[in-house]
């Protein structure tokens, strides 16, 4: 159950777009369309932003989008805003009938 | 309001035991699978355990298998995590989490509690 690989940090200026990658294997990310993305602000519980690779829960801004190619999933945030500064985690269902998270990416809005 | 409220955390010595509880309200608890997810201080999220709506199946992360037991009481709208043989590395904030979908889905956590802190230290 190795964690999915995410960059430790990304940054962008307000209004710009950024992409966070999440790399796994054919036993998790590549094998199932069950990738989710979570946003976590300091001291708060995680918030579901994307599920099933590219679906947005009700109430989540359409500035957030998800995609997948092979064993790598991606979260793109367009029109970056100050409130987007947070930690982001991907997760995937696995062939071992478990769930694995990525190590997390700290997004800094410059 | 849909809500999950964890309790039962605290300070325990290595090798000790603790039982966490999660009280659910605002939704039909008996129709959703549930999970525990933890976060060590300054670290990322780690899925711990899962239980089906009818308690027929449970899954565990390798790191806790054989030491932790997940259970639920649908009549009391409550989820539990019995933690035995605790280790230093089990120190974390423990969240209970509910999926977006009802049924047996694992993952896609829409609802999270505020967490309860477990500290394992001598």
């Amino acid at each position: 159950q190795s964690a999915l690989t995410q960059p430790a940090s990304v940054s962008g200026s307000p209004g710009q777009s950024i992409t966070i990658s999440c790399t796994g294997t054919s036993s998790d990310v590549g094998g199932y369309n069950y990738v989710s993305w979570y946003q976590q602000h300091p001291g708060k519980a995680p918030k579901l932003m994307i599920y099933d690779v590219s679906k947005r829960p009700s109430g989540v801004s359409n500035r957030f989008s998800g995609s997948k190619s092979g064993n790598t999933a991606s979260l793109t945030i367009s029109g970056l805003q100050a409130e987007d500064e947070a930690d982001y985690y991907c997760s995937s269902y696995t062939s071992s009938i478990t769930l694995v998270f990525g190590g997390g990416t700290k997004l800094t809005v410059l | 309001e849909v809500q999950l409220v964890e309790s039962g955390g605290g300070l325990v010595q290595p090798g000790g035991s603790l039982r966490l509880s999660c009280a659910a309200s605002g939704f039909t608890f008996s129709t959703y699978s549930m999970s525990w997810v933890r976060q060590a201080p300054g670290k990322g999220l780690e899925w711990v355990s899962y239980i089906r709506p009818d308690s027929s199946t449970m899954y565990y992360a390798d790191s806790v298998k054989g030491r932790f037991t997940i259970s639920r009481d649908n009549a009391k709208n409550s989820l539990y995590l019995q933690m035995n043989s605790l280790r230093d590395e089990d120190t974390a904030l423990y969240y209970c989490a509910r999926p977006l979908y009802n049924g047996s889905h694992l993952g896609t956590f829409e609802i999270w509690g505020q967490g309860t802190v477990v500290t394992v230290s001598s």
Side-chain angles (χ1 to χ4, degrees):
Chain A
Q1 293 177 344
S2 299
L4 305 175
T5 301
Q6 297 181 233
S9 63
V10 298
S11 62
S13 299
Q16 287 186 332
S17 294
I18 63 96
T19 296
I20 300 172
S21 62
C22 170
T23 301
T25 68
S26 58
S27 296
D28 39 64
V29 174
Y32 305 92
N33 288 324
Y34 293 137
V35 176
S36 296
W37 289 91
Y38 299 88
Q39 175 192 67
Q40 187 179 35
H41 287 109
K44 301 294 187 182
K47 176 185 178 183
L48 180 66
M49 305 302 286
I50 295 289
Y51 67 99
D52 294 355
V53 175
S54 60
K55 298 177 182 177
R56 269 190 315 275
S58 174
V60 172
S61 170
N62 59 9
R63 297 186 299 105
F64 291 83
S65 62
S67 63
K68 189 184 83 168
S69 178
N71 296 335
T72 298
S74 299
L75 172 71
T76 298
I77 308 174
S78 59
L80 211 54
Q81 299 179 0
E83 60 260 35
D84 299 332
E85 184 162 298
D87 294 327
Y88 290 85
Y89 296 91
C90 61
S91 74
S92 174
Y93 178 83
T94 83
S95 61
S96 302
I97 318 181
T98 61
L99 194 77
V100 62
F101 282 95
T105 298
K106 181 177 179 60
L107 169 61
T108 301
V109 180
L110 302 171
Chain B
E1 179 191 6
V2 175
Q3 197 173 12
L4 297 171
V5 179
E6 302 93 336
S7 60
L11 174 64
V12 61
Q13 291 187 338
S17 298
L18 213 53
R19 189 195 195 208
L20 306 183
S21 299
C22 171
S25 59
F27 65 98
T28 307
F29 179 73
S30 62
T31 66
Y32 286 85
S33 66
M34 295 293 294
S35 284
W36 288 97
V37 177
R38 69 184 179 183
Q39 187 168 31
K43 303 297 184 181
L45 301 171
E46 180 187 16
W47 171 79
V48 173
S49 185
Y50 156 100
I51 187 168
R52 279 192 174 174
D54 62 358
S55 301
S56 60
T57 304
M58 291 78 82
Y59 300 121
Y60 299 92
D62 287 346
S63 58
V64 306
K65 200 173 295 183
R67 301 187 298 122
F68 289 12
T69 302
I70 190 171
S71 63
R72 64 191 296 162
D73 185 335
N74 287 342
K76 295 182 178 180
N77 291 333
S78 293
L79 176 72
Y80 306 101
L81 186 68
Q82 177 67 44
M83 304 185 296
N84 298 330
S85 303
L86 283 161
R87 305 167 179 168
D88 291 351
E89 55 264 34
D90 295 319
T91 293
L93 178 64
Y94 284 74
Y95 293 103
C96 63
R98 193 210 82 177
L100 178 65
Y101 306 118
N102 60 7
S104 300
H105 190 73
L106 169 55
T108 315
F109 302 123
E110 178 195 24
I111 307 297
W112 298 70
Q114 84 291 348
T116 186
V117 175
V118 172
T119 303
V120 183
S121 175
S122 54

